[in-house]
Amino acid sequence: MSRLRAMLSTTAVRLSALYLGLFALCAVALVFYVTSISVGMQHDRIQRVIGSELRVVAGAYRNNGITGLVRVIERRARQPGANLYAIAAPTGELIAGNIGAIAPGVLDNEGWTTLPFRYERLGDRSSQDHRALAQIVFLPNGMRLMVGRDIGEREQVRGLVRQALVTALAIMFAGALAIWFFVGRRALKRIDHMSKASKKIMAGDLSQRLPVNGSGDEFDRLSLSLNAMLGRIERLNEGLRQVSDNIAHDLKTPLTRLRNRAEAALAGGEDADSHKQALEQMIADSDQLIRTFNALLMISRVEAGSSTAQMSLVDLSGLARDAAELYEPLAEDAGVVLTADITPGLTITGNRELLAQSLSNLIDNAVKYVGDVAAPKITVSLVRSGEVFRLSVTDNGPGVPADRREDVVKRFVRLDESRSKPGTGLGLSLVQAVAALHGGRLELEDGSTGADSSPGLAASMVLPRGK
């Protein structure tokens, strides 16, 4: 019973009831309108037929008097499907015609009968109730002439229409009940499944998703939207958890080192040089911590979309060329050959500072991790590929294993587990966030063409061209 009450309280059932009621009201109004029109048309036809008959019998009366009138009426009354004919004396006694009995008072007034009256046809022994409309004419000798028409056909039409209306309404009601039951039950089942999944999600299992049956209805659209939101929340929570773990791991060491150096400087006596050296090392460690927190703040701002207001038209070709020229001396000092293959004249609507920072991160990573290959080289390229621009930094170093490429874009994740190389493990995270801010993505692929023994790495920012 509670499930039935819940089903009846659904919006689908309420809308179905509203539409059924509105349709039934319109159907009843339409049926009554059609019935009244058809009855009116039949009434007009009866009047025309009776008027025509009266002209015929009136002609017989004018030509042959009452004898000719009676003779014509007796002849026409015996024809199949004949109208109703009656000649009555001034006292109301029926003299001729095909009517055996008539309701009292019908022949008392001349003209059209205002309402249908009861009558019995001459020789009819059935108990069927006959009704008719007629026109009464008073003859000069005081006798009354009546010509009428049975309205049973009209009543039959009205009865059939009413019966059809009742049948149609009954079928609609039964269909509505069936629709309410099956549609409402199906909707309740889906809502129950969504409620169960929601309870599991509220209990902390963010891997749960709302059910989608592939019908594309409003429930599917709602589930898809909420599932996308849940996926985003799950990724953010996972990222937050990883960030918390990695911050505890990566920042604990420099903070401990800062404290140890301060403690060693205090215990080192009055040697000014040792104090100065300790302070310089502490400042360097502090700078590294500040850079780490700045990178975290920048990633957070980018992911929150706070930089979208600073979008402008950016010469992407010029930005890539400037970055390559800026890092060329650094690469040369590291023994790396840095070249550029940049398609000129490519522009994009974006944030110039963030795009420049992202490209700098990619080049800096390539210079640090290109490795000890025989001829290390890095290529900065910018090409147009269909509706996107591909800004890539490719090296011929050891690369990144395919099964680790999803990990290296996470915050504080570094393939160098020993942390022997400088860095925070936030560079690729920032690149990915900036690419997403511009409606693009970060792609990591093998950079070697097959001639080198090392797979290399091609890190590409794929950015939409826009308008």
Side-chain angles (χ1 to χ4, degrees):
M1 184 60 67
S2 61
R3 189 174 183 84
L4 179 61
R5 286 197 298 268
M7 185 173 65
L8 293 177
S9 65
T10 59
T11 303
V13 170
R14 291 175 179 176
L15 287 177
S16 299
L18 178 62
Y19 288 138
L20 176 63
L22 181 61
F23 183 79
L25 182 62
C26 293
V28 170
L30 179 63
V31 167
F32 275 102
Y33 174 74
V34 172
T35 302
S36 63
I37 292 295
S38 62
V39 169
M41 293 175 63
Q42 287 183 334
H43 186 77
D44 293 340
R45 185 170 65 85
I46 289 173
Q47 286 185 337
R48 288 196 301 270
V49 171
I50 292 175
S52 177
E53 286 294 309
L54 277 175
R55 286 191 293 271
V56 172
V57 297
Y61 178 74
R62 286 192 301 270
N63 294 331
N64 300 306
I66 190 64
T67 304
L69 175 63
V70 171
R71 188 168 53 249
V72 169
I73 286 179
E74 291 293 341
R75 185 177 67 251
R76 298 181 75 87
R78 290 193 295 268
Q79 294 178 356
N83 295 320
L84 301 177
Y85 301 95
I87 298 177
T91 59
E93 181 183 359
L94 295 175
I95 300 174
N98 55 1
I99 296 179
I102 193 170
V106 174
L107 299 175
D108 294 345
N109 299 310
E110 188 175 17
W112 285 99
T113 55
T114 57
L115 296 173
F117 59 90
R118 288 186 173 87
Y119 76 96
E120 292 182 7
R121 189 179 287 269
L122 191 66
D124 186 7
R125 298 179 180 179
S126 66
S127 59
Q128 185 177 0
D129 186 19
H130 295 287
R131 292 175 180 270
L133 289 173
Q135 186 175 5
I136 293 89
V137 178
F138 288 179
L139 301 179
N141 59 2
M143 300 180 70
R144 287 89 184 273
L145 169 65
M146 186 194 79
V147 179
R149 186 78 180 179
D150 192 285
I151 61 171
E153 180 181 352
R154 187 183 75 175
E155 296 301 320
Q156 287 179 356
V157 171
R158 182 179 295 179
L160 288 174
V161 171
R162 289 177 179 174
Q163 184 179 2
L165 173 62
V166 172
T167 304
L169 290 177
I171 293 174
M172 286 190 298
F173 185 73
L177 286 179
I179 292 173
W180 289 350
F181 179 76
F182 290 107
V183 175
R185 183 180 179 185
R186 179 172 173 266
L188 281 180
K189 280 186 176 180
R190 298 190 65 182
I191 292 174
D192 288 343
H193 293 159
M194 295 174 70
S195 298
K196 291 178 181 178
S198 300
K199 290 178 181 178
K200 293 181 181 179
I201 292 169
M202 288 188 292
D205 185 5
L206 294 179
S207 63
Q208 289 289 327
R209 294 295 181 268
L210 300 181
V212 178
N213 64 4
S215 62
D217 59 6
E218 63 275 9
F219 287 105
D220 269 6
R221 294 195 297 271
L222 177 62
S223 295
L224 290 173
S225 298
L226 292 178
N227 286 343
M229 180 184 69
L230 291 171
R232 175 67 172 166
I233 293 173
E234 184 182 18
R235 288 192 297 272
L236 290 176
N237 282 351
E238 179 65 20
L240 180 61
R241 186 186 64 79
Q242 291 178 351
V243 166
S244 300
D245 294 343
N246 291 326
I247 285 178
H249 182 273
D250 283 61
L251 299 186
K252 181 179 179 180
T253 299
L255 288 173
T256 302
R257 191 163 51 242
L258 272 173
R259 183 186 183 285
N260 292 340
R261 285 175 178 169
E263 187 177 6
L266 289 175
E270 301 295 331
D271 187 359
D273 292 336
S274 62
H275 286 178
K276 180 179 180 182
Q277 183 179 4
L279 289 173
E280 290 174 349
Q281 292 174 344
M282 291 170 65
I283 290 173
D285 290 339
S286 300
D287 289 340
Q288 179 62 29
L289 287 172
I290 292 172
R291 283 192 295 270
T292 299
F293 281 109
N294 285 339
L296 284 171
L297 289 173
M298 181 176 291
I299 293 173
S300 299
R301 286 196 297 268
V302 171
E303 288 181 341
S306 61
S307 302
T308 55
Q310 303 174 14
M311 296 291 187
S312 61
L313 191 63
V314 178
D315 181 5
L316 197 58
S317 299
L319 185 147
R321 188 167 47 252
D322 293 343
E325 292 176 357
L326 178 65
Y327 275 88
E328 188 174 2
L330 178 64
E332 185 177 350
D333 292 342
V336 179
V337 176
L338 192 150
T339 59
D341 181 13
I342 298 170
T343 302
L346 302 185
T347 59
I348 188 175
T349 300
N351 188 299
R352 180 180 179 84
E353 290 73 18
L354 293 178
L355 290 171
Q357 180 65 52
S358 299
L359 182 56
S360 298
N361 288 355
L362 293 178
I363 299 175
D364 186 66
N365 279 349
V367 172
K368 286 191 295 186
Y369 296 106
V370 69
D372 298 328
V373 296
K377 58 183 178 181
I378 297 173
T379 302
V380 179
S381 62
L382 174 63
V383 297
R384 176 187 296 167
S385 177
E387 295 299 318
V388 297
F389 295 145
R390 184 174 290 272
L391 180 59
S392 305
V393 176
T394 307
D395 63 63
N396 62 343
V400 177
D403 59 346
R404 296 295 308 277
R405 288 173 185 169
E406 291 187 1
D407 295 333
V408 295
V409 297
K410 298 177 181 178
R411 300 177 190 180
F412 293 109
V413 174
R414 299 170 64 183
L415 295 182
D416 179 21
E417 302 292 345
S418 64
R419 302 296 200 262
S420 60
K421 296 182 181 296
T424 61
L426 297 172
L428 291 180
S429 298
L430 176 62
V431 175
Q432 185 182 49
V434 171
L437 178 68
H438 290 80
R441 61 187 182 277
L442 172 64
E443 293 183 356
L444 300 179
E445 302 171 330
D446 289 339
S448 176
T449 59
D452 299 323
S453 58
S454 300
L457 180 67
S460 304
M461 292 179 65
V462 182
L463 305 172
R465 290 174 54 188
K467 297 182 179 180

